[in-house]
Amino acid sequence: MTPSPPSDEFESHRPRLFGLAYRLLGSAHEAEDAVQDAYLRFSGADRTAIEHPGAWLAKAVTNLCLTRLTSARARREEYPGTWLPEPVATSDGTLGPLESAERREQVSMALLVLLERLTPTERAVYVLREAFGYAHREIADVLNLGEANCRQLYRRAVARVAVPEGRFEPAPERQEELLMSFLTAAREGDLAGLEKMLAADVTYWGDGGGKVSAARRPVEGREKVVRFLVGGAERFTGGLDIVVAEVNGASALVAWAGDVLAGVASFELRDGLIAHVRTVMNPDKLTYLRRQLARS
């Protein structure tokens, strides 16, 4: 039987491959590049010798991402200010079905930040196991490692990215209500209102990539974060159209200046309070999300 054209066969796997690459890299544009490189390898391979194209492609993407992660670590050490993952809209199924809190957790900004603690191989083992349900034997085949070694790497990764108690997000409608109250309080300079919504140990991060003004270091503690938010609200939100959208599996504030995407604020909630705020304003990191939202 004549194999179908490589592009047709590949496209059926593309969404899953992008989801895998994004979880491994925390970067949408790098994930797209890795998936495209996998396509070039696939189209040039002897496909009559590939028994399971999906498994072959997952292995190719994983190993391409491992190479990128090694060089990305050095680049991120030189990154101006805080490095945060690229935000991705998830309501359109870009990162696969997210029907449960556990699945949403696997693409959350919070977890993607924690995954930066792992070595590239630990990250690959964790993502393949947790997000894609691979057995340790299958992971060993993808990474060309022993099964016992993969089990050890997985245990180590789980321990390093352990989720604190009370981390899971409330229902989407409650998230949206809290975020809009937060935005209103910040714009109105309502210190008492903000304090009621923030955990005592709340932390704010801003990622401007050296291209737009952003906090170069984390702002820590309720009092400092409240002052920072109120002080910056007039400068940074004046004239912007700010709406709620589902980003990385949770409600986020998305700011537009006309048709230019100016920033995305993601929130990590704990026991009903805002524990972490992560704002991405680096325009290079907003390109993919802007394309997504323009299509919706």
Side-chain angles (χ1 to χ4, degrees):
M1 181 181 295
T2 302
S4 59
S7 58
D8 293 347
E9 190 167 15
F10 182 84
E11 288 304 317
S12 67
H13 298 286
R14 184 185 288 275
R16 181 176 173 87
L17 297 175
F18 177 80
L20 172 60
Y22 175 73
R23 288 167 172 86
L24 288 172
L25 297 169
S27 167
H29 80 272
E30 289 186 16
E32 287 186 306
D33 288 346
V35 171
Q36 185 60 26
D37 286 349
Y39 168 72
L40 294 175
R41 292 189 178 190
F42 184 65
S43 62
D46 177 6
R47 289 185 297 117
T48 61
I50 300 175
E51 187 174 356
H52 301 291
W56 189 97
L57 286 164
K59 182 172 184 174
V61 166
T62 299
N63 284 285
L64 285 164
C65 288
L66 286 175
T67 301
R68 282 174 166 77
L69 277 172
T70 301
S71 59
R73 178 157 295 188
R75 293 196 307 274
R76 289 169 191 175
E77 288 176 357
E78 299 175 356
Y79 192 80
T82 298
W83 181 93
L84 292 174
E86 287 184 35
V88 171
T90 46
S91 59
D92 61 357
T94 293
L95 296 180
L98 304 176
E99 305 100 334
S100 65
E102 290 76 15
R103 286 190 173 185
R104 290 194 295 274
E105 173 65 27
Q106 289 303 314
V107 297
S108 69
M109 293 291 281
L111 182 63
L112 291 172
V113 169
L114 288 176
L115 291 179
E116 291 294 308
R117 299 177 179 179
L118 306 181
T119 66
T121 306
E122 286 172 345
R123 185 165 182 161
V125 170
Y126 183 89
V127 168
L128 288 168
R129 180 68 174 166
E130 288 289 314
F132 292 89
Y134 275 50
H136 288 294
R137 175 181 50 78
E138 295 171 311
I139 298 172
D141 180 62
V142 169
L143 300 176
N144 295 320
L145 297 173
E147 186 174 341
N149 190 11
C150 286
R151 290 180 183 276
Q152 184 178 20
L153 288 166
Y154 174 69
R155 287 194 295 270
R156 189 185 306 157
V158 168
R160 295 179 72 181
V161 299
V163 177
E165 291 291 329
R167 253 283 284 119
F168 291 107
E169 310 288 349
E173 57 271 17
R174 172 56 184 150
Q175 292 179 36
E176 182 169 349
E177 178 186 337
L178 180 61
L179 266 55
M180 293 309 296
S181 296
F182 169 88
L183 177 61
T184 299
R187 281 179 158 171
E188 294 179 353
D190 181 1
L191 303 183
L194 279 173
E195 287 178 351
K196 290 178 182 178
M197 287 182 268
L198 302 179
D201 59 349
V202 62
T203 305
Y204 172 94
W205 286 271
D207 180 347
K211 300 192 174 187
V212 299
S213 180
R216 300 277 294 193
R217 295 183 178 85
V219 181
E220 301 177 311
R222 182 188 287 144
E223 185 178 340
K224 290 182 179 179
V225 171
V226 166
R227 288 204 308 267
F228 176 84
L229 291 172
V230 171
E234 185 173 349
R235 280 188 300 146
F236 296 119
T237 67
L240 294 178
D241 180 22
I242 301 179
V243 297
V244 175
E246 184 185 306
V247 176
N248 289 84
S251 296
L253 294 177
V254 177
W256 293 90
D259 62 353
V260 175
L261 183 57
V264 177
S266 297
F267 298 78
E268 183 179 344
L269 307 180
R270 186 178 66 230
D271 297 325
L273 297 174
I274 297 171
H276 300 286
V277 184
R278 298 180 176 92
T279 305
V280 178
M281 294 168 285
N282 181 346
D284 293 342
K285 291 188 175 183
L286 299 173
T287 303
Y288 186 86
L289 178 60
R290 184 183 180 284
R291 292 204 320 257
Q292 285 183 292
L293 297 178
R295 293 195 299 266
S296 62

